[in-house]
């Protein structure tokens, strides 16, 4: 899962960098997947969990069942802008997981 929101909003960063001819740092081959979730959605889920009448404790995932690669995000920004991105190729971070999919079945049912 990858949270986004002010001030670090990856869609905004991609669009600004492409528009201003600044490079986009692409780690690995860009095929690692992420489930994107806006920070306020995480906060809402946390508040729901606090208000839940469940006894004891439970762990909840707050992601969505769909994933997106960095390559897909870059391609989308390029299509919207009608302009190719300048790519700065970087090594994949050690331990980067791919594919990365969250499962929110329990949180959807209980919260």
């Amino acid at each position: 899962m990858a949270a986004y929101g002010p001030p670090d909003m990856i869609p905004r960063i991609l669009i600004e960098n492409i528009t201003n001819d600044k490079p986009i740092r692409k780690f690995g081959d860009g095929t690692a997947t992420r489930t994107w979730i806006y920070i306020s959605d995480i906060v809402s889920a946390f508040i729901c969990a606090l208000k839940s009448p469940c006894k004891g404790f439970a762990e909840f995932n707050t992601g969505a069942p769909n994933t997106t690669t960095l390559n897909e995000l870059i391609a989308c920004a390029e299509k919207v802008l009608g302009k190719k991105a300048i790519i700065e190729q970087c090594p994949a971070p050690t331990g980067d997981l791919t594919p990365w999919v969250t499962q929110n079945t329990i949180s959807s049912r209980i919260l």
Side-chain angles (χ1 to χ4, degrees):
M1 177 178 68
Y4 69 97
D8 183 27
M9 297 178 63
I10 190 68
R12 177 187 56 80
I13 291 168
L14 291 176
I15 289 173
E16 283 181 0
N17 284 14
I18 294 170
T19 299
N20 297 314
D21 296 317
K22 293 183 178 178
I24 293 170
R25 295 172 66 199
K26 182 164 86 170
F27 295 91
D29 63 4
T31 60
T33 59
R34 295 293 181 270
T35 299
W36 296 93
I37 185 167
Y38 196 72
I39 190 68
S40 65
D41 293 332
I42 296 171
V43 171
S44 294
F46 186 75
I47 291 169
C48 285
L50 288 172
K51 292 179 179 179
S52 175
C54 299
K55 297 203 185 277
F57 68 93
E59 294 179 9
F60 298 102
N61 281 323
T62 54
N66 55 326
T67 62
T68 306
T69 67
L70 179 57
N71 289 337
E72 291 169 330
L73 286 174
I74 293 169
C76 181
E78 289 174 332
K79 184 177 180 180
V80 167
L81 296 170
K83 185 176 181 180
K84 294 297 280 180
I86 299 168
I87 303 297
E88 178 186 335
Q89 193 64 49
C90 301
T94 303
D96 195 23
L97 301 175
T98 186
W100 180 265
V101 180
T102 59
Q103 179 56 264
N104 65 349
T105 306
I106 296 172
S107 59
S108 295
R109 187 179 72 241
I110 294 175
L111 303 178

